[in-house]
Amino acid sequence: MKDTFLVEMQAVSKSYPRVGGEDFTALRDINLQLTAGQFIAVIGKSGSGKSTLLNLVSGLDQPTIGTVTVNSRPLHNLSEDALAIWRGEHVGIVFQFFQLLPTLTVLENLMIAMDFRNAIPHSQRREHALNLLDTVEIADQADKLPATLSGGQQQRAAIARALVNDPALLVADEPTGNLDTTTSEAVLGVFEKLVAHGKTLLVVTHDDDLAKHAHTIVRLTDGELTSVDSQAMPGGVR
C-alpha cells in the first residue's frame, strides 16, 4: 500500500532579516515527507531549525523559498487569514509552557477553543470537552483553575485543548521540557495512546527518552536536514 504523506516539504528554506547584517537562514533546502498516523520526533541542538520547521508545518509561518503541503493543502501561498482558518481546522498545537488561560477553568479552556472553528453545537461542547479530559485522564480536574493543577496535569489539559477540533495533525514544541522525569513519562503515555488511535504527532524535543518512542526521527543540524530514520520501538508506539 502506498504511504499517505500528511506533510510534504520541497526545497524549503526560511530566512529572517537582521538589522544591519545579512539575513539569518534558519532552514536550508529541506526536502521532507512525513507519513500520516505516526509519532515523529524532530531533534537537534538549539538553533538547528527545529522550531522553525514546526512553525512551517503548522502554518504559523511560511517559507522564504519552496513549498509546504500539509493534509493535501499547499500552505506556502495562503494569506495570513487563510492560514489562521486552516490551522483552526487541521492543527492542534501544544506548547512547552501550557498557555492555558488562568482565569478560566480547565473545562472552560477547552470550550473556548471550540469557538475558533465553531463546528461543535453549543449544547454538545461540555460533553465533548469532558470526554477529551477523560482521554487524557484528568476529567476530575475539569472545574479547577489551571494554577491549582500540577505541571503534568496542565500539560494534559493543553493536549486535550489541542484536540478539541479533531485536528489531522498534533504538533508539540518541547512538551516535556518543563516537566520532571515521572511526569514526562505520563505525558508520553498520553501521546502514545493518541497515536495508537490514529493521530499524527510531530514533536520538537531535546528529550532523548521521548524521541526513542517515535516511529520516525528527523535530525536537523545548522538548518539542514541530516537524516530521517525509521525505527522499531519495542514496547513503544506501533
Side-chain angles (χ1 to χ4, degrees):
M1 180 181 293
K2 183 180 180 181
D3 287 336
T4 300
F5 294 118
L6 184 71
V7 175
E8 295 187 77
M9 305 178 76
Q10 295 183 337
V12 168
S13 295
K14 178 64 181 179
S15 298
Y16 297 96
R18 289 194 288 201
V19 177
E22 294 183 358
D23 290 354
F24 168 69
T25 300
L27 289 176
R28 184 179 294 105
D29 196 27
I30 302 295
N31 292 284
L32 181 64
Q33 294 175 318
L34 299 174
T35 304
Q38 289 200 345
F39 184 166
I40 302 145
V42 181
I43 64 175
K45 294 181 180 180
S46 295
S48 62
K50 302 186 305 297
S51 293
T52 300
L53 186 145
L54 183 143
N55 289 343
L56 295 179
V57 170
S58 59
L60 290 168
D61 206 347
Q62 291 180 303
T64 305
I65 301 171
T67 65
V68 179
T69 303
V70 181
N71 203 26
S72 301
R73 184 70 181 269
L75 304 186
H76 46 278
N77 53 12
L78 294 182
S79 67
E80 289 189 11
D81 288 345
L83 273 177
I85 293 170
W86 178 86
R87 280 196 307 273
E89 294 178 348
H90 298 283
V91 182
I93 302 175
V94 180
F95 301 96
Q96 179 178 351
F97 295 102
F98 322 132
Q99 305 290 353
L100 298 168
L101 296 174
T103 59
L104 299 182
T105 66
V106 171
L107 184 69
E108 289 168 342
N109 265 275
L110 269 65
M111 293 176 67
I112 198 171
M114 299 178 204
D115 290 340
F116 293 107
R117 187 176 179 188
N118 204 29
I120 300 170
H122 284 271
S123 62
Q124 299 175 20
R125 291 186 179 185
R126 179 180 175 84
E127 181 181 5
H128 179 53
L130 286 171
N131 286 338
L132 287 172
L133 291 174
D134 186 56
T135 297
V136 299
E137 301 177 356
I138 57 164
D140 58 335
Q141 307 297 315
D143 295 321
K144 296 182 180 180
L145 293 174
T148 67
L149 274 60
S150 69
Q153 289 172 328
Q154 289 187 63
Q155 192 60 293
R156 288 172 183 241
I159 293 168
R161 180 186 57 189
L163 294 169
V164 293
N165 292 319
D166 193 24
L169 176 65
L170 184 66
V171 301
D173 194 352
E174 298 287 358
T176 59
N178 198 38
L179 305 175
D180 60 41
T181 300
T182 300
T183 307
S184 295
E185 290 175 353
V187 170
L188 174 61
V190 173
F191 284 147
E192 290 184 328
K193 181 164 65 172
L194 293 172
V195 175
H197 285 84
K199 288 296 177 189
T200 303
L201 173 65
L202 178 64
V203 175
V204 164
T205 185
H206 283 97
D207 187 341
D208 289 340
D209 289 333
L210 187 152
K212 289 176 184 176
H213 288 261
H215 292 99
T216 299
I217 295 179
V218 176
R219 289 181 174 85
L220 296 174
T221 303
D222 297 330
E224 296 185 351
L225 180 63
T226 52
S227 66
V228 180
D229 298 320
S230 298
Q231 59 179 6
M233 300 148 295
V237 187
R238 298 293 177 187

